[in-house]
Amino acid sequence: MTEPTAKERERERAETSFPKHWVADVLASDGGVVHLRPIVPSDADALVAFHGRLSERTRYLRYFGPYPTMPQRDVLNFTTVDHHSRVAFVAILGDDIIAVGRYERLPEGDGNSAEVAFVVADSHQGRGLGPILLEHLAGAAAENGVTMFVAEVLAENRNMVTVFREAGYQVSRSYEGGVLRLEFAIDPSEALLSVRNSRERAAEARSVRNVLSPTSVAVIGASTDSSKVGNAVLANLLAGGFTGPVYPVNADHRSVRGVRAYPTVHDIPDSVDLAIAAVPADSIDEVLDDCLDKGVKALVVVSAGFGESGPEGQENERRLVRSARAHGMRLVGPNALGVANTDPEFALNATLAPSLPMPGHVGFFCQSGALGIAILDQATKRSLGFSTFVSAGNRADVSGNDLLQYWDSDPATEVVLLYLESFGNPRKFTRIARRVARSKPIVAVKSGRGAIPPALATGPDIDDSIVKALFEQAGVIQVDTIAQLFDCAILFGFQPLPAGPRVAVVGNSTALGVLAVDAARAEGLHAGAPIDVGPQAGPQEFAAAVSGALQAGDVDSVIVVFVPPVAVTVEPFAEALGNAVRGADKPVLTTFLATEGIPDVLAVRGEQGQPVRGSVPSYSSPERAVTALAKAWRYSAWRSRPASTPIRPNGIDSERASALVRGWMSGGKNRWLSDFESAELLSCYGISVVDFRSVTDEAEAVAAAEELGYPVAVKATGPQWKHRPDLSGVRLDLAGADAVRIAYHTLAHETGEPLLQVQRMAPKGIGCVVQVQDDPSFGSLISFGLAGVISDLLGDRAYRVLPLTEDEAVQLIDAPKAAPLLSGYRNAVPVNKSALVDLVQRVSAMADDIPELRELVCEPVLASASGAEIIDTRLRVGPEPTRADLGPRRLR
């Protein structure tokens, strides 16, 4: 092999020099995937071809003139950029460029302005590619110190003007000679983030709709062998009554199950929306090429042999995702059970399960195929209807986050059930779930990490306490088992939410009534003595007691415990109970016949015979009914609280803070800041550390003590000593020069270092810890707890995902089990909790503003009635990582 020439080496360098995190898969407004990356010199031929496909009108609007062909000098200029002052992105579908966007820094002014422009192929206009290019160009520009974009467009180019106006930027405009000059700052304002999130939500929902609401389906690998998965999927599609055409794809047979088959997807005469792939893993590439040619919108891969099979399979899975996205498709799977939509308009059963639950208003997402079959079976047994169902297998592309975006706007879905084995993007999950849960209950099981095969572990292990905090913060109802998942689902699906915690227990069994009351009180519900009508009570007496409880002003929900009297039919009791609760605006739960789900005798039927709202859910035991009701009350209380927003306290100088960090990060490596550097950075956010001085001998120590004023503390400095309570955690109440000399001498000898600190003594208070950690899954997490060995051993820390809203800052302070100590436990003087809330709000703003912040520990923070004073800090900065759910929107 010959050595590359200097020109070839230069080209190779140019094509690998751009920031790798600029490469992204993005969703167009129609739900299709587009690959976005910086332009490189080898794109020259593709760029010329792209230009040649543009209409005369599009070229005129972009270049202000005919510009029929692109001269070679312009091709070279457009494809050779420095990724700093000149940046260009191309949007690619298959092998073709379909859009180009660029910015070029302007020489005038302070050099922080750049001219931006983009052009989209005629056949792809209207897909929202212009705003996507603008968003990613703005992200790159911000990294390069550009703060302002300028664009010049023809006044008649209304589409381009609309793109800038609707992008969320505050645009100023001037007009001269038929040309509009637009200027806007690219800072991510609240309006911009709102527009960005709305665009993401609509695109992701549309992409899932392409999966769940197809008008035609192709089954690739539809086998004539009934033992093969390709045959099973085809059989289930046909048996389920899918309302559109189904196309088996089989190169060896003219028909499968009596349906005309085609050798390839490309040979199908009509359009195909959804393709189900049941072919071996090593045959998937040719399938993708055919799907691209056919314009398939989405692909479900039920085949195994990918990430679950080991390292080679994992690489094949990554290649599958890259290829599917390059072909413009969303991917469910691989190793998926499939997808289903019970809406009669589609009647889609593209799964390996032979039957589905009846139509209903519950959406379900899980990963495990075997678990998915069990879930479908349980839903059927409990008379719980589903709207849609997705079992995503290895979850290589479409995830629970995507389904949440879809269910948020799906009128057929009222309750969301999730079985999560891992998180793809937990921070994004929190953001989406917090919005969805405001109108639709989300019930989730998070399985243990140890249950996941290592090959399918898609992210780092996440501490259970963090997951619990994430769910609480987002309003997600967390349950521990599949049984509890369904217990909650039948309550949320058929009964109203409780308005309060007050429960009435009515029944004909003293023992069951006492069990229910005890369980309710243990769950924090307010329950009085059970209303016991006795085993001899008839249907009317039984129903009257239930009606009376429902009408009571001090009752928010009713649990009915019922044991059938001996040799008496239960139907009259069921009819009486149904009449008593019909139209009630309070939830009613029962243990009728110990049935799980909706008993036939307590069901209210819809037009298609399925149970609808007003049906009374039944549980196998009072305890399970109470557990579901308690979770419903906690969710109802969360939802009734007004939604708060992140708060930025006054007195913040983020520009100065960023400049300081950039200066300290000139070497580009992780480093601990000195105590003086930490104090200076914190001061930019209005956070002060108790005043201190660094000293190197006894004389300096005495002078510092006299300057600060007694009492003072002498302590070791540097992060290597801060875990030693005997050197930094113990504050000596020193009140004289001799004591300072002795303390200095002792600590200098113990540490072997002459550099120590003398610090003014803070008022006595309760020691607290405020910490920010850079979690690889969540981005920045903030935690709060009381200082001390016992709190550390018990793990008594509260966590929240940043940024904190106003309410979340208060909740964070109150969340640890030891938090009552801050409120004056046992007649102690309460601390100033407002000062602690202000502190965590300032820390939240700091962590959100400074992506280079890797770790921050304020310990101890002495909380007292007069305020909160920070004694020690540890602060580490490092290169900015690629952080989940920050920056321009993209697929994971």
Side-chain angles (χ1 to χ4, degrees):
M1 181 180 294
T2 59
E3 289 291 323
T5 64
K7 185 176 181 179
E8 290 172 334
R9 284 196 297 269
E10 175 62 22
R11 170 167 291 188
E12 182 180 358
R13 184 201 65 77
E15 295 189 357
T16 58
S17 62
F18 58 77
K20 299 299 182 290
H21 64 274
W22 287 1
V23 179
D25 293 315
V26 298
L27 283 177
S29 59
D30 60 3
V33 185
V34 175
H35 186 65
L36 204 69
R37 63 164 172 79
I39 202 167
V40 293
S42 60
D43 288 324
D45 291 342
L47 182 64
V48 171
F50 163 74
H51 183 80
R53 292 191 297 271
L54 297 177
S55 67
E56 291 184 8
R57 177 67 175 172
T58 296
R59 287 197 294 262
Y60 168 74
L61 293 176
R62 166 63 181 88
Y63 298 105
F64 295 18
Y67 201 58
T69 59
M70 186 176 290
Q72 187 59 37
R73 66 177 183 277
D74 288 350
V75 174
L76 180 63
N77 178 57
F78 288 159
T79 57
T80 306
V81 295
D82 61 9
H83 310 299
H84 182 72
S85 293
R86 300 179 67 244
V87 171
F89 285 101
V90 289
I92 298 173
L93 181 60
D95 296 324
D96 296 331
I97 294 175
I98 61 173
V100 180
R102 61 189 300 109
Y103 80 72
E104 187 160 347
R105 196 184 299 262
L106 297 172
E108 63 264 20
D110 55 10
N112 291 335
S113 297
E115 184 174 8
V116 64
F118 45 87
V119 60
V120 179
D122 292 75
S123 59
H124 292 276
Q125 291 176 9
R127 301 184 66 202
L129 298 183
I132 291 172
L133 285 168
L134 182 59
E135 178 181 343
H136 285 259
L137 286 169
E143 292 183 30
N144 290 327
V146 174
T147 60
M148 182 76 67
F149 269 171
V150 175
E152 293 188 346
V153 300
L154 291 173
E156 61 191 280
N157 192 351
R158 296 180 179 177
N159 289 340
M160 190 66 69
V161 174
T162 299
V163 167
F164 290 111
R165 186 179 67 246
E166 295 183 351
Y169 294 106
Q170 297 295 317
V171 180
S172 63
R173 58 179 70 185
S174 58
Y175 181 81
E176 183 177 354
V179 176
L180 275 175
R181 180 181 173 89
L182 310 175
E183 296 186 9
F184 51 93
I186 62 174
D187 290 338
S189 64
E190 287 299 319
L192 175 63
L193 291 176
S194 177
V195 169
R196 181 184 296 178
N197 291 340
S198 296
R199 186 166 62 242
E200 172 199 58
R201 178 166 70 248
E204 291 185 353
R206 177 63 183 273
S207 74
V208 174
R209 191 172 298 114
N210 291 342
V211 175
L212 293 173
S213 305
T215 59
S216 56
V217 178
V219 181
I220 307 170
S223 174
T224 57
D225 184 345
S226 60
S227 66
K228 298 293 182 64
V229 295
N231 184 282
V233 173
L234 178 62
N236 295 338
L237 271 168
L238 297 174
F242 177 62
T243 56
V246 178
Y247 303 106
V249 176
N250 186 311
D252 300 323
H253 295 85
R254 295 186 60 186
S255 68
V256 181
R257 285 189 168 268
V259 181
R260 166 72 186 276
Y262 297 87
T264 69
V265 176
H266 187 73
D267 295 315
I268 296 172
D270 299 313
S271 62
V272 176
D273 286 343
L274 175 67
I276 315 295
V279 300
D282 55 8
S283 303
I284 202 73
D285 286 339
E286 55 192 272
V287 167
L288 292 171
D289 290 337
D290 286 342
C291 289
L292 173 65
D293 291 341
K294 197 63 185 173
V296 173
K297 297 175 182 177
L299 179 69
V300 176
V301 178
V302 297
S303 312
F306 289 92
E308 79 283 356
S309 62
E312 183 177 351
Q314 291 175 44
E315 180 53 39
N316 289 337
E317 183 169 301
R318 285 189 287 268
R319 185 168 52 83
L320 169 64
V321 175
R322 288 195 299 268
S323 186
R325 289 178 175 176
H327 289 72
M329 295 180 289
R330 293 306 305 268
L331 167 72
V332 176
N335 193 29
L337 179 68
V339 302
N341 185 347
T342 64
D343 185 341
E345 183 180 348
F346 300 99
L348 174 71
N349 181 9
T351 76
L352 297 176
S355 62
L356 296 177
M358 65 186 71
H361 297 287
V362 175
F364 200 108
F365 173 86
C366 68
Q367 292 172 237
S368 167
L371 179 65
I373 292 177
I375 285 168
L376 293 173
D377 181 62
Q378 281 294 310
T380 299
K381 290 180 178 178
R382 296 194 184 210
S383 299
L384 183 67
F386 280 1
S387 59
T388 43
F389 170 86
V390 175
S391 175
N394 297 2
R395 197 181 50 82
D397 179 26
V398 171
S399 69
N401 287 346
D402 297 296
L403 268 298
L404 284 176
Q405 300 277 41
Y406 169 76
W407 284 322
D408 185 28
S409 58
D410 177 30
T413 301
E414 297 176 1
V415 180
V416 172
L417 305 183
L418 304 174
Y419 185 91
L420 302 174
E421 296 173 358
S422 61
F423 287 96
N425 186 336
R427 181 176 173 124
K428 181 176 179 179
F429 173 86
T430 306
R431 172 170 59 84
I432 299 172
R434 184 185 294 169
R435 183 189 71 245
V436 177
R438 284 288 169 186
S439 58
K440 300 181 181 183
I442 303 172
V443 189
V445 177
K446 172 63 175 70
S447 68
R449 184 67 175 187
I452 306 172
L456 295 182
T458 56
D461 199 358
I462 301 175
D463 186 272
D464 287 342
S465 60
I466 297 177
V467 173
K468 183 175 182 292
L470 180 152
F471 283 160
E472 289 178 353
Q473 187 175 1
V476 174
I477 302 107
Q478 183 178 12
V479 296
D480 298 323
T481 65
I482 294 296
Q484 290 181 357
L485 191 78
F486 281 107
D487 286 348
C488 289
I490 61 171
L491 173 56
F492 288 120
F494 298 103
Q495 290 289 313
L497 291 175
R502 301 167 300 179
V503 182
V505 177
V506 181
N508 64 350
S509 167
T510 303
L512 289 182
V514 171
L515 282 175
V517 168
D518 288 346
R521 292 172 178 172
E523 286 282 0
L525 299 173
H526 303 164
I531 302 171
D532 188 0
V533 298
Q536 74 287 348
Q540 298 310 315
E541 186 179 356
F542 178 71
V546 174
S547 296
L550 281 171
Q551 294 168 12
D554 59 349
V555 171
D556 300 306
S557 55
V558 175
I559 296 177
V560 179
V561 292
F562 175 78
V563 176
V566 177
V568 174
T569 59
V570 299
E571 283 75 10
F573 287 89
E575 183 179 356
L577 176 59
N579 291 333
V581 304
R582 186 170 292 117
D585 58 357
K586 299 175 182 179
V588 178
L589 303 78
T590 185
T591 59
F592 205 88
L593 302 177
T595 304
E596 293 186 351
I598 303 296
D600 288 340
V601 291
L602 294 177
V604 178
R605 301 291 177 180
E607 293 180 357
Q608 300 176 14
Q610 79 278 17
V612 296
R613 283 202 170 271
S615 300
V616 180
S618 179
Y619 298 83
S620 61
S621 69
E623 293 88 348
R624 285 177 58 173
V626 165
T627 298
L629 181 61
K631 291 184 181 297
W633 156 239
R634 285 192 282 270
Y635 167 68
S636 178
W638 176 89
R639 200 163 89 167
S640 65
R641 292 195 296 264
S644 62
T645 58
I647 292 296
R648 288 184 66 84
N650 297 325
I652 290 177
D653 189 348
S654 56
E655 291 185 5
R656 177 168 169 260
S658 297
L660 287 172
V661 172
R662 284 197 299 270
W664 295 327
M665 285 292 299
S666 58
K669 296 181 179 180
N670 279 276
R671 62 174 291 237
W672 288 97
L673 300 185
S674 70
D675 289 333
F676 282 107
E677 290 171 333
S678 296
E680 185 176 13
L681 183 58
L682 289 167
S683 70
C684 296
Y685 285 82
I687 303 170
S688 59
V689 179
V690 174
D691 204 8
F692 63 90
R693 301 288 184 271
S694 292
V695 297
T696 57
D697 58 35
E698 295 177 15
E700 289 183 359
V702 172
E706 292 176 350
E707 178 188 355
L708 293 170
Y710 292 104
V712 296
V714 179
K715 59 180 185 176
T717 186
Q720 69 272 33
W721 304 114
K722 291 193 175 183
H723 66 286
R724 291 277 303 274
D726 56 326
L727 302 179
S728 64
V730 176
R731 296 293 183 268
L732 301 176
D733 189 359
L734 303 174
D738 289 341
V740 171
R741 293 189 185 95
I742 293 171
Y744 176 88
H745 179 79
T746 302
L747 287 179
H749 176 75
E750 180 73 22
T751 62
E753 296 182 4
L755 181 62
L756 301 178
Q757 282 185 5
V758 176
Q759 187 172 43
R760 175 179 58 81
M761 287 286 286
K764 290 183 179 180
I766 298 175
C768 303
V769 182
V770 176
Q771 181 173 358
V772 172
Q773 62 192 71
D774 183 40
D775 187 274
S777 293
F778 290 85
S780 293
L781 283 171
I782 189 169
S783 63
F784 174 81
L786 272 62
V789 176
I790 294 178
S791 292
D792 289 341
L793 286 174
L794 297 178
D796 190 17
R797 295 282 186 271
Y799 296 89
R800 293 293 184 272
V801 178
L802 295 176
L804 290 178
T805 67
E806 184 175 13
D807 288 345
E808 289 165 356
V810 175
Q811 294 159 14
L812 179 66
I813 302 302
D814 289 335
K817 293 182 176 63
L821 292 172
L822 303 173
S823 301
Y825 184 71
R826 290 191 174 179
N827 298 319
V829 177
V831 308
N832 184 347
K833 291 203 293 186
S834 296
L836 289 173
V837 170
D838 180 71
L839 173 61
V840 298
Q841 287 177 333
R842 292 180 183 278
V843 169
S844 170
M846 178 178 174
D848 211 44
D849 287 347
I850 305 175
E852 297 87 357
L853 182 63
R854 299 278 74 76
E855 185 176 356
L856 167 63
V857 183
C858 299
E859 181 184 14
V861 178
L862 292 184
S864 65
S866 60
E869 300 211 46
I870 301 174
I871 306 302
D872 265 329
T873 62
R874 301 193 296 279
L875 204 156
R876 181 169 57 89
V877 295
E880 179 180 353
T882 301
R883 296 171 65 180
D885 202 40
L886 298 176
R889 299 290 177 236
R890 63 186 67 209
L891 296 176
R892 64 182 174 90

